[in-house]
Amino acid sequence: MMDALDKELLKAVSGLEQIPKGAYNIRKNGKLLTRNVSANIDIESLEGSRGIRVIIKPGTKNESVHIPVILTEAGLYDVVFNEFIVGDDCDVTIVAGCGIHCGSSESEGHEGVHQFNVGKNSRMKYVEKHYATGDGTGKRILNPTTKVFLEEGARAEMELAQIGGVDDTKRVNEAELEANSMLLITEHVLTERDQQAVSSNTIMLNGAGSRANMVSRSVIKGSSRQIFNALMEARAKCFGHIECDAIIMDNGINETVPALKALHPDAELTHEASIGKIADEQLLKLMCLGMSYDDAVNTIIQGFLK
Amino acid sequence: MLDLHNLSFMSDGRQIINDLSFTFQKGKFYAITGPNGSGKTTLSKLIMGIHKATTGNIVFAGKDITNYTVTERAKAGIAYAFQHPARFKGLTLRDLLNIALGKDHKADMRDIVEKIGICSFEFLDKPVDSKLSGGEIKKIEMATTIALNPKIVIYDEPDTGIDLWTIDPMVNLLKKEQTEKGTTTIVISHNRTFLEAADTVILIKSGKIAYQGDTRGALPLLSDLSICNQNCKVHENDGCFR
Ligand SMILES: Nc1ncnc2c1ncn2[C@@H]1O[C@H](COP(=O)(O)OP(=O)(O)O)[C@@H](O)[C@H]1O
Ligand SMILES: [Mg+2]
């Protein structure tokens, strides 16, 4: 059912050596490969294998759902829409990701929209990894979108990573926060050669007491380009922070535009942004600990993207 | 064990280290002091290979290391704890200690952390970043340097940002490392406790050694303001803060 390549891709995007425990849905080349539901987590197909709807019962605690996507078919461009309905008072982890193996001159791609509704006082951790491999000359394209709606008192932690091999990516993250909800998004993107990545983020702080923190870490190798846009808009007494750091390694190009908009007098919004090479003092410190220059560079980058 | 022969360092047409020669003896404790801007940090960076000497050469344990890289000097057993330690994004104290201790090490990191007076082991997994206080980053810098178990070590103003109560334990720790492991120890400091702990005090002024000898001999010079090389008086009668 799953061959060695499927397993390699699965491991890269979800850290799984084999079929996960609990609820899961594995999609391969645009079709359902295998699925499991649990007592508290139901997964149903949307019309026309367009995607899935994951329904998590209120009060579900310490459970997880894995929904990896793997692509190995030349020339396929898979588009999927997945919806997650997390009931009130839950504490769940959702692990998504897309692994592409491109073995021909034809491009392959995946466009996934993940929409979340996180119920009152629920906690959700969402982990999404993107990875591409293969020695084909076709382009590997990934365009992930997340749309998060946090109800009162909900907390979401989202870890988004794209750590290699993707030629072209347009990432979109949108979030809306109701009263006393909290959102932490960390996005780590590494591009190399002539790859391109654009990340566009919009976070709306609608409710009083809502808090959002967006952390972006970019590494731009070779002659790749990255563009990072983030807008945080406050419509109540709330707190928001954007932190974006980009390290340019070779001849890369980066554009970082954090934007803050306060439509309420008690909003507190801050941002920190930096673009630059690896600091000499960091390299020198590691070299003083006995590391070679190249190992020091790798260690700093790995730490930065960890 | 470390010989500096006629070291000079020029930067932007300025002579920062001026024909300086000195021999550090194995296992001894040295204190280097001198006014701000006199060249103490520059001298340390020449020894570590961070700066390249304009002229002169450096011999360590019988080998000419003048052309060694920083990494090669570190591997040979030379260590430098920075005056202004680097702050990272993402790397933790545990990561840095793992690098310093080398692979397959069996050392207990908690021993090192405890030695240095970092009271909570949580520190091991905290990022070594700009959120740390000045004192904390200096302690971390010292911990990673001790973990190298160097043959010769320079601590560049290890006491800045350190509270008064921690100075004595810090001096004791470095003395203990020196006596138990035979580490040749050089501390750059203006603190009397360090000067008194040293076998030899070196006073640097305008990139040259102005005094070398025991602490007693150095003290009158330290209170003599003429060693200050910065003519910072605004008015005739203004005293100098130093
Ligand atoms: N890389 C450099 N390039 C140019 N000038 C420097 C450099 N590093 C230090 N200096 C200058 O050299 C002098 C000595 O500095 P430093 O060695 O840091 O003194 P100290 O550590 O004794 O306070 C100062 O005037 C300083 O401004
Ligand atoms: Mg200095």
Side-chain angles (χ1 to χ4, degrees):
Chain A
M1 185 178 64
M2 286 217 298
D3 59 24
L5 179 58
D6 293 348
K7 284 182 183 162
E8 184 204 319
L9 292 174
L10 193 62
K11 182 160 188 278
V13 294
S14 61
L16 295 169
E17 297 279 359
Q18 56 219 356
I19 298 284
K21 289 192 181 65
Y24 61 82
N25 187 93
I26 304 176
R27 179 180 173 100
K28 183 184 171 185
N29 295 331
K31 292 186 196 75
L32 175 66
L33 182 69
T34 164
R35 168 183 299 171
N36 189 44
V37 299
S38 73
N40 294 323
I41 303 179
D42 193 25
I43 302 177
E44 57 190 41
S45 296
L46 300 177
E47 320 67 65
S49 83
R50 207 160 58 88
I52 53 173
R53 181 178 293 125
V54 177
I55 302 157
I56 301 174
K57 275 192 191 156
T60 302
K61 295 260 154 88
N62 302 318
E63 288 198 41
S64 64
V65 200
H66 284 81
I67 51 151
V69 169
I70 45 191
L71 281 181
T72 57
E73 190 182 311
L76 185 72
Y77 191 79
D78 184 25
V79 179
V80 66
F81 174 84
N82 295 331
E83 193 180 357
F84 302 83
I85 298 167
V86 181
D88 295 347
D89 305 305
C90 289
D91 188 347
V92 292
T93 301
I94 297 168
V95 182
C98 179
I100 296 186
H101 178 272
C102 181
S104 78
S105 60
E106 284 185 82
S107 298
E108 285 174 36
H110 176 69
E111 190 165 313
V113 178
H114 285 179
Q115 186 171 300
F116 303 86
N117 194 99
V118 185
K120 291 194 178 62
N121 302 315
S122 270
R123 281 164 170 258
M124 175 188 78
K125 178 165 180 167
Y126 175 69
V127 182
E128 183 184 281
K129 270 191 198 163
H130 288 106
Y131 173 76
T133 176
D135 40 27
T137 52
K139 278 203 183 303
R140 303 142 180 92
I141 303 159
L142 279 171
N143 296 324
T145 295
T146 63
K147 293 184 180 181
V148 190
F149 184 80
L150 297 179
E151 290 186 22
E152 272 184 45
R155 294 172 73 149
E157 196 180 315
M158 316 201 29
E159 283 177 17
L160 314 170
Q162 178 190 302
I163 35 195
V166 180
D167 293 301
D168 205 318
T169 189
K170 285 191 186 62
R171 317 172 61 85
V172 176
N173 298 304
E174 292 171 6
E176 291 201 38
L177 284 81
E178 292 304 307
N180 299 314
S181 64
M182 202 166 112
L183 174 70
L184 169 65
I185 304 185
T186 48
E187 185 181 65
H188 292 175
V189 179
L190 181 148
T191 49
E192 53 197 337
R193 295 189 290 273
D194 54 356
Q195 297 167 355
Q196 295 211 35
V198 180
S199 172
S200 307
N201 304 275
T202 313
I203 296 168
M204 297 289 167
L205 293 144
N206 296 331
S210 58
R211 305 171 74 88
N213 190 5
M214 161 120 224
V215 179
S216 155
R217 298 242 166 120
S218 302
V219 175
I220 301 124
K221 289 188 177 179
S223 45
S224 64
R225 308 165 142 255
Q226 285 192 32
I227 297 177
F228 175 83
N229 291 311
L231 166 67
M232 232 175 232
E233 191 172 306
R235 296 172 177 170
K237 179 177 163 57
C238 62
F239 177 84
H241 182 64
I242 304 173
E243 189 184 317
C244 32
D245 293 293
I247 294 181
I248 297 180
M249 306 271 297
D250 308 298
N251 297 307
I253 292 178
N254 177 256
E255 213 179 291
T256 292
V257 189
L260 306 174
K261 215 172 179 179
L263 305 181
H264 191 282
D266 294 324
E268 264 184 74
L269 300 174
T270 51
H271 76 73
E272 280 171 67
S274 78
I275 303 177
K277 301 238 180 265
I278 297 180
D280 273 347
E281 50 170 32
Q282 296 180 4
L283 288 167
L284 283 168
K285 173 62 189 170
L286 297 193
M287 284 155 72
C288 284
L289 297 181
M291 271 196 158
S292 68
Y293 177 85
D294 288 345
D295 287 347
V297 169
N298 283 336
T299 303
I300 291 164
I301 295 299
Q302 274 170 28
F304 183 70
L305 293 178
K306 190 167 54 186
Chain B
M1 83 168 327
L2 182 76
D3 304 306
L4 312 177
H5 294 292
N6 307 100
L7 277 192
S8 289
F9 181 70
M10 298 268 294
S11 178
D12 300 332
R14 263 184 65 213
Q15 185 94 26
I16 294 166
I17 295 296
N18 190 354
D19 195 28
L20 188 150
S21 297
F22 191 78
T23 295
F24 293 96
Q25 310 280 350
K26 188 174 173 359
K28 289 266 194 269
F29 199 114
Y30 296 87
I32 300 183
T33 193
N36 298 123
S38 59
K40 305 178 297 294
T41 296
T42 305
L43 178 64
S44 314
K45 290 186 172 176
L46 288 172
I47 294 172
M48 195 64 227
I50 296 167
H51 292 328
K52 282 260 172 279
T54 314
T55 54
N57 58 323
I58 305 175
V59 176
F60 178 58
K63 275 205 190 102
D64 189 320
I65 61 159
T66 314
N67 294 317
Y68 276 33
T69 62
V70 174
T71 310
E72 286 165 337
R73 292 181 204 214
K75 288 200 165 133
I78 303 175
Y80 172 59
F82 286 77
Q83 181 176 1
H84 303 291
R87 293 165 186 271
F88 294 86
K89 286 199 160 122
L91 292 180
T92 61
L93 175 56
R94 187 187 298 279
D95 293 329
L96 296 181
L97 288 175
N98 270 323
I99 296 166
L101 292 163
K103 53 172 182 302
D104 318 319
H105 73 84
K106 291 192 182 62
D108 189 344
M109 285 182 193
R110 289 188 301 181
D111 287 347
I112 300 172
V113 168
E114 217 159 16
K115 249 190 211 173
I116 234 76
I118 297 173
C119 299
S120 151
F121 297 138
E122 277 165 36
F123 255 96
L124 273 171
D125 295 305
K126 268 213 224 165
V128 178
D129 63 13
S130 52
K131 293 193 182 79
L132 295 170
S133 78
E136 285 165 348
I137 191 88
K138 292 297 270 187
K139 286 183 181 178
I140 284 171
E141 185 69 4
M142 183 171 277
T144 56
T145 307
I146 284 185
L148 285 167
N149 207 2
K151 295 197 176 82
I152 183 166
V153 57
I154 309 169
Y155 292 100
D156 198 343
E157 306 203 16
D159 46 335
T160 40
I162 300 293
D163 53 71
L164 285 172
W165 302 274
T166 317
I167 300 272
D168 281 345
M170 189 176 261
V171 175
N172 292 339
L173 170 65
L174 297 190
K175 280 299 274 183
K176 197 159 169 256
E177 291 287 308
Q178 175 225 353
T179 47
E180 284 178 6
K181 298 181 181 162
T183 315
T184 308
T185 306
I186 305 164
V187 178
I188 300 175
S189 177
H190 307 291
N191 195 303
R192 216 175 162 121
T193 324
F194 273 113
L195 302 186
E196 282 165 1
D199 299 309
T200 300
V201 171
I202 301 165
L203 179 66
I204 305 227
K205 185 190 166 188
S206 309
K208 280 176 177 289
I209 295 180
Y211 170 85
Q212 62 184 81
D214 60 15
T215 314
R216 226 168 339 128
L219 292 179
L221 281 168
L222 296 180
S223 48
D224 176 3
L225 298 177
S226 72
I227 59 148
C228 176
N229 60 353
Q230 286 168 356
N231 227 337
C232 49
K233 277 191 201 172
V234 181
H235 302 292
E236 257 324 284
N237 300 325
D238 279 354
C240 183
F241 294 120
R242 257 184 277 270

